[in-house]
Amino acid sequence: MHDTHETEIPTHIHPAANTTKSTPGSATTTTGQEQPERGESDKSAVGSSTEAITTSFQERTAADESNLTLTTPETLPADVDVRVREPDTGATDLWKTLWQIDRLHTRFRDALDTLTGETYQSAWATLVEDGGVTAPASTPAPSYAEYLLDGLKRPTDATWFDSLRVTRQLGGSTPFGNTERADIINGPVAIFAACDVTPRIAIHLSHDFFEHKRIQRVRLLDFLVELGRGMDVRIVCHGSLVPKKLLRLHEADLPSRCVTEAPQPYHDAAKQAGAAPREVAEAALADLGLDHPAISVLERLSEESSERLAYGALKADTAFSVSEAAVGKRVRTLIEYRLVSKDQFNTTNYIQLLPAGTRFLDRREQELDAQDVQTVLDGFAATETDDAATETGDSVDLTDPPKHSHGTVYTGASTRGESGGDGPVSTEESLAVAGVDDDVVASGAWLSLDQQTAVSSAVSGDLDIALADEAAPTRDHCGDYAVGFNETDNEIVVSLQPSPLAARTVTRLCAALLDPRLLNTLLTPERLDGEDGEDLGTLLDDAVSPAVLRAARQLGWLPDQAATGEDYPDQLIAAMKTLFSDVDDIGSGEDFDPELARSVCRRGQGLAGTITHIYDLLGWDVVRELTFPEYSRHFHEDRSTHLQTLATQVAITSRYGHYPMSRIVYEERADKREGSLGAPSVDDIDPSGDLIGSWVLRGPGIDRLASNLAHLEAYANLDVQDEGVNFAAFYTDIQIGQATRLESVRETVRRLCHMKQLEPTRPATALLYALTGSIYETVNALSGLAAETDPSRRTITLDEIRYALATLDPEALLPELDADEEGTRRKSARSKLLYSLLTAGEPLAQGEWAGQAGVSTESIRTHRDDLAALGLLEIDDRGTGRATYYRLRLPFRDERGDEDAPRPAHLMAPENESQPRSIRDVLCDLLEARGLFEEALNDQAISDGLVGWPPTLEPALERWPWLRPWCDVIARLLGVEGGGSLRGPDDWIEGPYELTSRFGSEPTMRQAQLSA
């Protein structure tokens, strides 16, 4: 026998022709020459190398590294080597099925071909020492590798077929004896990985898969995960329900990467509680269309104040002209599209309308309205002339009221959603305006009632300008806007995205304020003329005559003759049409016309101011939201433009009595000043005027504007004309502050709870404030709750707050704790861990918690002590050798009313109860959880501040700056405002910042009195 240490594996290992098969252990070939038994030379070749094998391929790789992928028939790659439909759940049966496909034989040969030209010892090292090919476990040496390598030295058809046969037999009885499933992984699967050849296997599953017992399904999935260590395994689920069901029932049995990267069809409502209802509704509308029979079920549910019905009663409802079975089918369709849910209360099944279902109905209504209603902007898509505009479609009388069914509140559905995301009412192409931001101007939509609530609450407490430093909606087009109003509170809310060109911004503002949704309901002849029918009678209640409106209030575009509630809106619309026509001619680049841009901007500012004054005369409060997606990146450099636009509007809409500040204090044109109806008689004791309405500026990084807003007047380039005719000195102090603060959160929770016939509580408000730090996310959470049928307004419960928070995206939870020193928010396992506990229905063991959160157990160990220190996590250590269980300190749904159910340890106490803990107490717990408490006690200043008197957190915050946002969260849990803000005009200030920016001028006599 020759020395196998120097033997090379032939460069052509494909089997030769005219050879016969042999079996493992045969010692002769067709030539009759005596050959060593397969495996005999292997032992002599590797010598002591066999003893060096310590770990198998399976031990060297982790299940999370499995190349298992969930896919759909549409996304499955074309180059699949093996397709198996409805596989057997037994691992060895599936393994044998795979090897019936010739393509897998070819891929296996490709893997072995990579060893050609190597010495036996080198090939041994590749497979065994480096690749972990240790099968079978029942033999002291890696007999399978020895067998293959010995066959490669003498390649014949017989040896090749023997290799395939033995490979296929792994997992069962083989020439080496009985083998296990692990031998498949540590044998051929390890060879694929070692040789860097990856066959692609597609396993097709249908509803039949779920006919198997759960243990059988789990075993099959486990085997596929194992195969994925060396193969590209694709699970292909067919239909729309199978993918969702697979993930719902077996998410814990699949690698976390496999789950997180699964395509959309795999994610159902249960696992996407934070998915935006708008996105769910839009996808369902695209699939179902406007006339699907299942929509009748949604409409029936929406008629109920609780938005739910018992399943049996729903199927038997006489409103449906089909059988109960047909109604049941419609319900299942709606469940599939996550528009309704099927819940059980007191052994009775109920069908509950979800926020996405409400959104679906609203979007459908808009699409139906779009077939009949056109806005004033229609027809300006590709032409500047009215004649060309009328060719695009039939016009609609703008005095016709909109077809809407929300009572006195004309707005979108009361669900969470992006403030500009409802889409246009008109089916015609919107007005296209050339410009640096590729604008499409003035495509309007209803602003959802919940988002309207958030915007209105942002300026609660007499704020004039609120800064919301958080994500702003990305609109389909930069020029899209949304509007809404609420007759109960006499509020109008408009939301739009500013343009780098001020002329376009004011044009959008005018379009929003004159949107047909407002025009056809709030500026109708009946409202303007009043009950007695007097021309503009409502506006004249305080102003006496049209002359006062024109010369005191400075209302523009008011006809000299026959000013009526019918023709005045026409004048305003005509002025807006002229703006649209002119803004289209401004151009860009070398064609930019600066004079025309200034003219449009000036006229647009005046028109917007006039409309705002009209609303003020009618008793409406106007809140204008300006949204800046990625403010720091795209808008901050243009802040002077935005500040000038804002400052000009503030001057125009600030007034003393009927007199606007822009005309009395700042107007430079002598003829305009002379045309004013005198000047106001200013009270020397209180010479302050009022700002009509308020503003909300929203976008990540928007707080950087705070210091600029403190000097807002300077950006308007206005000079006080104290020597001009009809001048009177008065001023308006503009109050500026943060949108999210304790007062605004309380107002947000109060409004949303009252909409749903609920009464808020102090602990519920504190918990929402602490975990979201955002009025917009608070609104998004509460909008997911169903309305109560009992108008007596029972108090909201903590298990309902738990459910509401579970409808948010995980990144919306404790966002400030994931911000770096520059305020940039980073993704963190902490939010995922908190979210998974919110959605859990029972305490979770560590492995279950990690699996549901999609994080490692190391992440749990990193964050659990922090969450426990905050009083949010309950840890149930059941002793040595037993699992530790974790739960959020909030009641599960079935624990509602249970006085012993856990609640956050440091949550604000209910009414008439004392607060047992302080911020200092909780901060000490946190430092102890981080192993820093002893260090804190050793520092005299920190120790005195934390445990001595007087109490102060500053020394600890200076030592550990990362504590600052934690202090905010702790303070909010305890029901107080918080120790400070990281995102104000200064690095660290006490509480939310508040600024005052003064417009106008103080009377000389008052200045003298103050100086004295």
Side-chain angles (χ1 to χ4, degrees):
M1 184 182 299
H2 54 272
D3 188 354
T4 56
H5 285 270
E6 299 301 327
T7 301
E8 288 188 358
I9 294 177
T11 56
H12 300 287
I13 67 168
H14 295 208
N18 300 322
T19 55
T20 61
K21 294 184 180 181
S22 63
T23 60
S26 63
T28 61
T29 67
T30 54
T31 61
Q33 297 174 337
E34 184 175 347
Q35 298 291 337
E37 184 173 332
R38 288 185 69 171
E40 176 186 329
S41 60
D42 299 350
K43 299 175 183 178
S44 61
V46 297
S48 62
S49 296
T50 303
E51 300 174 0
I53 300 302
T54 57
T55 58
S56 66
F57 171 71
Q58 204 169 21
E59 294 171 322
R60 300 181 188 192
T61 57
D64 283 344
E65 299 174 8
S66 173
N67 194 21
L68 177 66
T69 306
L70 300 178
T71 187
T72 62
E74 294 76 18
T75 58
L76 180 66
D79 56 338
V80 173
D81 296 309
V82 180
R83 298 174 185 266
V84 179
R85 300 185 182 277
E86 304 304 331
D88 294 317
T89 56
T92 55
D93 292 335
L94 174 58
W95 181 246
K96 292 177 180 179
T97 300
L98 294 178
W99 287 94
Q100 294 175 4
I101 309 301
D102 291 341
R103 178 63 182 167
L104 187 58
H105 302 175
T106 302
R107 300 295 281 155
F108 190 54
R109 178 177 293 171
D110 293 340
L112 297 180
D113 276 349
T114 63
L115 303 175
T116 59
E118 294 188 20
T119 64
Y120 192 98
Q121 190 175 30
S122 175
W124 174 271
T126 299
L127 295 184
V128 181
E129 297 176 11
D130 298 334
V133 182
T134 59
S138 58
T139 60
S143 304
Y144 177 68
E146 295 174 350
Y147 187 76
L148 293 181
L149 290 178
D150 192 65
L152 291 179
K153 288 166 48 181
R154 291 171 291 277
T156 64
D157 277 341
T159 56
W160 169 243
F161 291 135
D162 285 341
S163 298
L164 289 179
R165 182 169 57 84
V166 171
T167 299
R168 187 170 56 247
Q169 291 173 342
L170 287 173
S173 178
T174 69
F176 314 120
N178 290 329
T179 57
E180 303 173 353
R181 192 180 78 175
D183 294 325
I184 296 174
I185 310 306
N186 295 323
V189 174
I191 289 176
F192 282 125
C195 297
D196 200 22
V197 173
T198 309
R200 179 167 290 163
I201 311 297
I203 305 297
H204 294 258
L205 302 180
S206 69
H207 289 281
D208 294 342
F209 174 67
F210 300 100
E211 297 297 325
H212 298 287
K213 295 181 179 179
R214 174 176 175 79
I215 189 171
Q216 293 174 313
R217 300 196 305 266
V218 170
R219 286 173 180 171
L220 174 61
L221 293 176
D222 286 344
F223 183 56
L224 295 179
V225 171
E226 294 296 307
L227 290 181
R229 295 172 186 256
M231 296 178 169
D232 180 2
V233 181
R234 307 292 179 107
I235 295 180
V236 188
C237 286
H238 292 258
S240 57
L241 296 179
V242 175
K244 300 174 180 61
K245 190 171 183 179
L246 177 69
L247 211 56
R248 186 172 66 250
L249 298 179
H250 294 288
E251 180 177 345
D253 305 314
L254 299 169
S256 57
R257 178 201 59 79
C258 179
V259 173
T260 57
E261 296 179 1
Q264 182 61 35
Y266 282 86
H267 297 284
D268 66 3
K271 296 303 179 183
Q272 280 197 308
R278 173 175 176 260
E279 298 174 355
V280 176
E282 292 289 351
L285 188 62
D287 284 353
L288 299 179
L290 301 177
D291 303 314
H292 194 282
I295 296 175
S296 62
V297 176
L298 292 178
E299 293 174 327
R300 179 65 187 90
L301 291 172
S302 68
E303 295 171 0
E304 298 293 318
S305 58
S306 64
E307 297 182 324
R308 71 170 179 246
L309 279 172
Y311 191 25
L314 181 64
K315 290 192 294 184
D317 198 305
T318 57
F320 305 110
S321 57
V322 295
S323 66
E324 292 189 11
V327 175
K329 182 177 180 181
R330 296 177 183 183
V331 170
R332 289 192 294 273
T333 298
L334 297 175
I335 293 174
E336 174 188 340
Y337 282 97
R338 309 195 304 278
L339 301 177
V340 303
S341 63
K342 185 177 180 181
D343 304 310
Q344 188 177 66
F345 299 95
N346 299 325
T347 71
T348 300
N349 288 323
Y350 287 88
I351 304 302
Q352 174 72 57
L353 183 65
L354 294 176
T358 306
R359 184 78 176 197
F360 178 97
L361 289 175
D362 188 64
R363 283 290 293 116
R364 176 176 178 267
E365 182 179 358
Q366 291 172 359
E367 292 296 328
L368 293 174
D369 285 349
Q371 299 174 5
D372 303 316
V373 179
Q374 297 181 352
T375 71
V376 68
L377 307 175
D378 289 347
F380 285 90
T383 179
E384 300 174 4
T385 64
D386 292 340
D387 291 339
T390 58
E391 295 176 2
T392 62
D394 297 332
S395 62
V396 175
D397 186 353
L398 293 177
T399 61
D400 291 343
K403 300 175 182 178
H404 220 272
S405 58
H406 291 286
T408 60
V409 179
Y410 289 86
T411 177
S414 177
T415 61
R416 58 180 279 202
E418 301 299 338
S419 57
D422 287 338
V425 169
S426 173
T427 57
E428 302 297 330
E429 184 179 358
S430 302
L431 170 66
V433 177
V436 293
D437 56 354
D438 193 24
D439 282 338
V440 177
V441 170
S443 177
W446 283 111
L447 182 64
S448 63
L449 184 56
D450 48 0
Q451 292 298 306
Q452 180 180 329
T453 299
V455 177
S456 299
S457 299
V459 289
S460 60
D462 298 325
L463 276 190
D464 298 305
I465 300 177
L467 300 180
D469 191 350
E470 54 187 280
T474 301
R475 305 174 191 268
D476 293 336
H477 298 290
C478 298
D480 290 355
Y481 65 82
V483 301
F485 67 91
N486 188 332
E487 284 193 308
T488 301
D489 298 307
N490 278 6
E491 287 177 343
I492 297 170
V493 179
V494 299
S495 177
L496 60 133
Q497 178 176 312
S499 165
L501 188 62
R504 293 193 178 95
T505 299
V506 296
T507 302
R508 295 173 187 172
L509 180 58
C510 291
L513 292 172
L514 279 179
D515 183 85
R517 299 163 184 79
L518 305 179
L519 190 73
N520 296 340
T521 50
L522 306 184
L523 297 182
T524 61
E526 293 76 16
R527 286 183 180 262
L528 291 171
D529 290 338
E531 294 181 359
D532 56 4
E534 180 185 0
D535 292 346
L536 300 182
T538 307
L539 302 184
L540 298 177
D541 282 348
D542 295 325
V544 181
S545 71
V548 175
L549 295 178
R550 189 181 300 108
R553 274 280 183 160
Q554 303 296 325
L555 296 186
W557 295 274
L558 188 62
D560 293 335
Q561 301 292 330
T564 68
E566 185 169 352
D567 59 18
Y568 193 20
D570 290 341
Q571 296 294 323
L572 300 175
I573 292 170
M576 186 172 63
K577 287 182 178 181
T578 302
L579 282 180
F580 295 149
S581 179
D582 289 345
V583 78
D584 197 26
D585 292 333
I586 291 176
S588 61
E590 296 180 356
D591 297 327
F592 180 72
D593 187 342
E595 291 297 328
L596 181 58
R598 281 191 288 270
S599 173
V600 170
C601 188
R602 183 176 61 252
R603 286 179 283 138
Q605 289 277 20
L607 180 58
T610 291
I611 304 167
T612 304
H613 275 273
I614 292 173
Y615 285 132
D616 181 46
L617 286 167
L618 292 173
W620 291 91
D621 185 38
V622 182
V623 185
R624 289 138 290 190
E625 182 190 44
L626 303 181
T627 60
F628 301 85
E630 300 187 36
Y631 169 81
S632 297
R633 180 182 301 179
H634 299 305
F635 291 93
H636 191 64
E637 292 183 0
D638 300 316
R639 62 188 180 280
S640 295
T641 299
H642 307 310
L643 290 167
Q644 183 179 21
T645 302
L646 177 60
T648 303
Q649 274 295 294
V650 168
I652 292 174
T653 56
S654 292
R655 62 176 178 83
Y656 194 94
H658 281 298
Y659 291 89
M661 180 179 288
S662 58
R663 183 58 50 88
I664 299 302
V665 178
Y666 296 120
E667 181 59 68
E668 297 178 352
R669 295 167 292 180
D671 60 327
K672 297 294 184 181
R673 300 194 67 88
E674 293 172 356
S676 176
L677 189 64
S681 178
V682 179
D683 187 343
D684 291 334
I685 298 177
D686 184 15
S688 61
D690 299 303
L691 176 67
I692 301 174
S694 50
W695 299 78
V696 177
L697 311 183
R698 177 185 176 192
I702 199 71
D703 275 342
R704 298 175 63 184
L705 269 184
S707 57
N708 302 104
L709 289 171
H711 310 284
L712 182 59
E713 182 193 38
Y715 287 91
N717 298 322
L718 299 172
D719 294 324
V720 176
Q721 306 296 314
D722 51 1
E723 297 182 358
V725 65
N726 292 327
F727 172 82
F730 69 92
Y731 63 86
T732 301
D733 283 337
I734 308 302
Q735 303 301 320
I736 304 165
Q738 288 175 271
T740 296
R741 58 199 189 286
L742 183 57
E743 183 176 7
S744 63
V745 174
R746 284 174 175 168
E747 178 65 10
T748 301
V749 176
R750 182 191 70 80
R751 289 191 179 205
L752 262 295
C753 283
H754 285 183
M755 289 178 194
K756 298 178 180 298
Q757 302 298 330
L758 295 169
E759 196 64 40
T761 64
R762 298 197 309 171
T765 301
L767 186 61
L768 287 164
Y769 189 18
L771 295 190
T772 68
S774 163
I775 54 173
Y776 290 94
E777 294 297 350
T778 296
V779 160
N780 289 341
L782 292 177
S783 66
L785 297 179
E788 289 295 302
T789 57
D790 186 353
S792 61
R793 288 184 184 171
R794 66 167 177 83
T795 56
I796 193 169
T797 59
L798 287 182
D799 67 286
E800 289 175 306
I801 298 298
R802 178 195 191 111
Y803 171 82
L805 289 168
T807 66
L808 299 177
D809 187 276
E811 295 178 10
L813 301 171
L814 296 177
E816 292 170 304
L817 301 188
D818 295 329
D820 58 24
E821 294 181 357
E822 298 180 355
T824 302
R825 295 177 182 177
R826 300 169 286 105
K827 293 183 179 181
S828 167
R830 184 190 298 107
S831 296
K832 295 179 181 179
L833 289 168
L834 182 59
Y835 175 77
S836 62
L837 290 178
L838 283 169
T839 57
E842 59 184 359
L844 301 176
Q846 179 171 277
E848 295 174 322
W849 190 13
Q852 291 193 20
V855 302
S856 65
T857 54
E858 179 62 30
S859 294
I860 291 180
R861 290 188 288 271
T862 300
H863 296 293
R864 65 184 177 189
D865 292 340
D866 289 346
L867 293 174
L870 286 179
L872 298 175
L873 180 65
E874 182 178 273
I875 303 176
D876 181 10
D877 187 349
R878 302 184 179 182
T880 304
R882 304 182 65 185
T884 299
Y885 285 84
Y886 304 87
R887 68 167 292 175
L888 202 63
R889 294 187 61 89
L890 284 174
F892 295 119
R893 176 173 293 185
D894 58 4
E895 293 177 327
R896 177 181 298 182
D898 184 352
E899 295 183 357
D900 295 328
R903 53 171 280 148
H906 313 312
L907 186 61
M908 183 183 191
E911 298 282 352
N912 304 321
E913 291 187 21
S914 60
Q915 191 67 45
R917 305 296 303 279
S918 69
I919 298 178
R920 291 199 306 171
D921 296 332
V922 184
L923 191 60
C924 289
D925 293 344
L926 181 61
L927 290 173
E928 187 169 1
R930 294 285 184 101
L932 299 173
F933 188 61
E934 184 175 349
E935 182 179 344
L937 294 180
N938 292 333
D939 187 301
Q940 189 64 45
I942 297 176
S943 177
D944 290 345
L946 291 179
V947 300
W949 192 264
T952 176
L953 303 180
E954 285 302 318
L957 298 176
E958 291 176 3
R959 174 66 180 83
W960 298 293
W962 57 267
L963 280 174
R964 291 174 174 174
W966 287 85
C967 287
D968 278 347
V969 172
I970 295 169
R972 292 166 184 171
L973 278 170
L974 295 172
V976 295
E977 189 60 79
S981 169
L982 281 176
R983 302 175 316 223
D986 302 314
D987 290 336
W988 174 253
I989 53 179
E990 291 299 322
Y993 59 79
E994 292 185 5
L995 310 169
T996 300
S997 181
R998 174 162 293 185
F999 276 66
S1001 174
E1002 290 189 25
T1004 305
M1005 182 179 298
R1006 178 177 171 82
Q1007 294 176 3
Q1009 292 173 345
L1010 293 175
S1011 62

